[in-house]
Amino acid sequence: MLNRPKDDEIIGFIDPKPARRTTAVGAVGMLGTILIYLAATHPPADLGWLLFLVALGAGALYLSWRMWIVTGIRIELTPKELREENGRVLCTIEEIASVDRGFFAFKPANGFLVRQKDKTQRGRVYAPGLWWRAGRTIMVGGVTSGAQAKSVADLITVLLVERDHQA
């Protein structure tokens, strides 16, 4: 007889890779720095364009800071839910309709797409470089390891088959 994992036991995880994390944050931060530098050293004649450059540069710097914070978190899979290591739940296994990690799937790099049965009450979340949720769709990936994301997607598929077989 197989040993069934406990409901809170971690059966899979996705760790953001340090090299990818540093490269992504550095690229977005560099974009913000260049835009603000350009606005300061060669300001456009029109005030609207100057404000646009400064706002876009500040937005890119904010995004890079936010990405650095978020990508320090690991995603964990238990038999009952997909969650962040700090406890925030992405979705439960019961809410999942399908998982897609195919070549033509609209998904992040090194990641997968989760479709939920119904629109979640948890709302929209954007954790840049790691995962995001909008409506019935959850996308996981970005600065993550492709192998870890593949194994978690496969484990979710196995959990879905077990769930549907028991019903």
Side-chain angles (χ1 to χ4, degrees):
M1 185 162 178
L2 295 173
N3 289 335
R4 302 267 316 143
K6 298 176 186 152
D7 287 348
D8 203 32
E9 183 179 347
I10 297 168
I11 58 175
F13 61 90
I14 303 172
D15 276 325
K17 293 298 172 196
R20 289 178 181 268
R21 181 181 184 206
T22 304
T23 302
V25 169
V28 175
M30 186 62 73
L31 173 66
T33 303
I34 289 171
L35 289 172
I36 290 176
Y37 176 77
L38 181 66
T41 59
H42 299 20
D46 187 16
L47 181 63
W49 283 112
L50 178 64
L51 293 175
F52 175 75
L53 281 176
V54 170
L56 200 60
L61 289 174
Y62 173 76
L63 184 64
S64 68
W65 170 76
R66 183 83 178 110
M67 188 184 302
W68 182 258
I69 299 298
V70 169
T71 55
I73 298 171
R74 172 171 130 163
I75 295 177
E76 301 172 338
L77 176 67
T78 68
K80 294 292 179 191
E81 63 191 9
L82 184 63
R83 66 181 185 207
E84 290 181 343
E85 68 181 332
N86 60 12
R88 180 163 60 168
V89 176
L90 280 65
C91 64
T92 64
I93 300 301
E94 292 300 318
E95 296 170 340
I96 298 176
S98 66
V99 176
D100 190 3
R101 60 175 184 83
F103 184 73
F104 294 109
F106 181 69
K107 62 180 179 55
N110 295 322
F112 57 91
L113 169 74
V114 174
R115 295 252 186 237
Q116 298 181 76
K117 295 176 185 175
D118 298 315
K119 189 175 178 182
T120 183
Q121 299 299 317
R122 292 187 186 94
R124 293 179 182 212
V125 176
Y126 181 53
L130 194 58
W131 70 278
W132 54 95
R133 176 178 51 226
R136 294 178 41 217
T137 305
I138 299 172
M139 295 189 190
V140 178
V143 299
T144 59
S145 163
Q148 288 178 342
K150 180 182 180 210
S151 67
V152 167
D154 289 343
L155 284 169
I156 292 172
T157 303
V158 168
L159 291 172
L160 293 179
V161 169
E162 285 180 355
R163 178 197 69 191
D164 294 342
H165 182 66
Q166 290 174 356

